[in-house]
Amino acid sequence: MSGLQYPMLPSPPSTHRSSRSSRRKLNVSEESSSSTGSVMIDTTSKYRIGIPSPLRALPLESEYPHTGSPAYHDFLRVSDDITIALLEKGVRGFTVSFVQRFEPGDTPTEQDWTVLICTTRQERWVAALEAIHELLLNHGINGFGIEILDSRATQYFYHPVVTDEFRNAWSILQVQIIGALGLGPEWQTLSIFNRGHIEEESTPTVTVGLTKAADLRWQAAKYELLQALLEAHPEIEVAYVRSNLLGFTTSPTSPAVCLDVEAFTKPVQMGSSIGIESSGTLGGYVTVRYQGQTEVMGLTNHHVIATDDMTIGELIHVAGGLRYPYSDIVAEEKANGYSPDLNRPRPRICAPSNPDTEMSIKAFEGVAEQARSMLDGEPADPCEPDKPPRMGLRAKLEALGDEATDEHRQKVQKFSILEANNLANIATIKQADRDFGRVFASSGLQRRHGPKKIGHETSGKTYEYGGALDWALLRLKSSRVGDNTVPTDDISKNWGFIPPPTAIIDASRFEPRIGQAVFKKGRNGFEVGHIKEFGTQINFNDGNGCFSAWTVLGGKTDGTKRPFMYPGDSGCWCLDQGGDLIGLGFAGQLETDAGYFIPISHVYDDIRQKFGAEIVSPVLQG
């Protein structure tokens, strides 16, 4: 997966609420009014209210102001009065802060200043908010938002529990919802979860993953449409989450990670870091029969190996100058996939990836530098003339002479070894042969056509509804080939994973099953989850419709919910409880802890249909 980090609240409806949305307003008498002056109050959530409405969906970043900023001085003028107003309205056990509230990845602006009150949900919230708003206006302070927040506003996502009536209606409802949302760039995912602060109090919720293209006006308008479509199912809520879908993109990005030096010196095992411009995961090894030849190849996602690199081959002379011979078809291959062509160069795949290699070198350099600093000390800093230089351990040992103790000598030895080991690791990584192989063939970013149809309400066009196809086969450098060894440590066993007797994957199942446990070994480690009822509809963002994806909801480990897939896990293999291969992971959504995979049978079938190649191992079992 080539990325997002906390669950989010529903993006609130517009101020003109339908009867359905007004049913969800706080059940206290003081909230018969939903405005203060000309500013509307957002009371959509039981545990979070504020102005102006609609509030932006969580999670939001909070940045404290510089003490010299004019906005901060305006806040100081009224901070004591805000505290008094809260106490007068009966609010207890609160903290008041002044911050800029903005979406992760954005840069805070002057429009983001917010008076943030954190407290436990109380009946007098709205009256308190109105009093604070009036207070700001009386002091001539305009443009500050006000938000009152209970920690229970943080919502988590669980497996859906719905009525049979809704289950039967969903196949039609999802078509209507997709029609209402349109097929523009504003959203990526549509699914159903139970959502709540704890599972026991969670509510079935139609959840839409939004991109940054979905502004507040779009969100409010679509929220009303979805509320109307669900009028017959009052038990179903609607929620937005901010979705930066990890993977299934032509420009994969994922944070680099630091790897052990063994990742650069040993054969590449399943679940290892690979990549060209970014980092993904080698799912594992398959045996492929093509044109009468049998060969072991690597299997991952197409978007992991897709590249903008146009420097393949030798420069040639053309009219107007020099160019690389294949630059005119790189963009087409990146979008539509690579066909087997044994006679021309293909993109080089590295293992580990370039970003992970650079991060690992930086990490070892950092440790080596810290050790050197302890040994040699630090000279005086001309920018801080009052700060004396710091004497290092070597100088201290020499100054002590015969008075030096074994403890002094052991410290010098300890940090000398630490520095030497990390410098040796850096040299090993830089000298390592990271050439893993070349692209053999891939699917491109495609749909697997299915029997269902999705209608588009506006255009009247009809789209085929099927799954994703996102796979790539790699021809490998023989000296780097490892095997499909699955985890056998105590952690995996504690999660109920029962590896095959040889610890080597040698079989794959034809179809996954709803509710079954799924295990993943990816670049970021071993995770467990369960296949969720109701797959996720993913908007391809090209105007041609959606595709469905099998969805795994991450499980609990150490009492904490965890995502099933993390940035850089794209291409990972998904295994059943007995260690059989059932799917190829291709994307994840950190906001809901969900991961998405392609049934491995679909990958096998597409390879055969496209190129006449057969995967003979792991063996596909019906």
Side-chain angles (χ1 to χ4, degrees), residues 43-185:
T43 59
T44 306
S45 170
K46 181 178 180 180
Y47 297 113
R48 181 190 184 217
I49 69 170
I51 58 174
S53 177
L55 292 173
R56 282 177 291 188
L58 296 177
L60 296 174
E61 300 280 355
S62 294
E63 185 168 300
Y64 290 89
H66 296 292
T67 55
S69 70
Y72 182 67
H73 284 287
D74 283 341
F75 170 71
L76 288 181
R77 288 196 289 124
V78 296
S79 60
D80 289 342
D81 293 333
I82 290 174
T83 298
I84 294 171
L86 289 166
L87 292 172
E88 288 179 343
K89 296 302 179 182
V91 179
R92 298 292 184 268
F94 58 83
T95 61
V96 180
S97 56
F98 184 63
V99 295
Q100 287 174 293
R101 298 274 277 168
F102 56 97
E103 293 181 0
D106 285 353
T107 301
T109 68
E110 292 299 313
Q111 285 71 47
D112 296 326
W113 291 117
T114 303
V115 177
L116 179 64
I117 299 106
C118 296
T119 182
T120 303
R121 171 74 190 107
Q122 296 164 32
E123 290 187 356
R124 301 292 294 174
W125 268 17
V126 168
L129 187 144
E130 290 175 337
I132 295 170
H133 182 255
E134 183 177 356
L135 177 66
L136 294 177
L137 293 180
N138 289 340
H139 281 78
I141 299 174
N142 295 301
F144 288 1
I146 307 171
E147 184 178 340
I148 306 180
L149 183 68
D150 185 312
S151 63
R152 287 171 289 180
T154 302
Q155 304 287 291
Y156 300 99
F157 293 83
Y158 304 95
H159 287 273
V161 179
V162 300
T163 64
D164 289 339
E165 179 184 3
F166 180 81
R167 185 177 288 106
N168 295 332
W170 178 240
S171 60
I172 296 175
L173 277 172
Q174 66 180 342
V175 174
Q176 296 171 335
I177 290 172
I178 291 172
L181 294 172
L183 295 173

Side-chain angles (χ1 to χ4, degrees), residues 174-175 177-179 181-184 187-190 446-450 452-456 462-468 536-549:
Q174 66 180 342
V175 174
I177 290 172
I178 291 172
L181 294 172
L183 295 173
W187 68 281
Q188 290 181 327
T189 61
L190 169 65
Q446 305 294 331
R447 295 175 182 81
R448 179 179 184 270
H449 298 307
K452 297 182 181 180
K453 302 286 183 179
I454 291 289
H456 189 280
T462 300
Y463 304 95
E464 289 191 337
Y465 165 90
T536 299
Q537 313 311 318
I538 297 180
N539 181 15
F540 206 83
N541 290 157
D542 64 355
N544 290 323
C546 304
F547 62 82
S548 60

Side-chain angles (χ1 to χ4, degrees), residues 487-509:
T488 57
D489 55 27
D490 290 338
I491 294 177
S492 62
K493 292 176 182 176
N494 290 340
W495 290 346
F497 182 65
I498 307 171
T502 61
I504 303 293
I505 296 173
D506 59 3
S508 56
R509 296 292 176 184

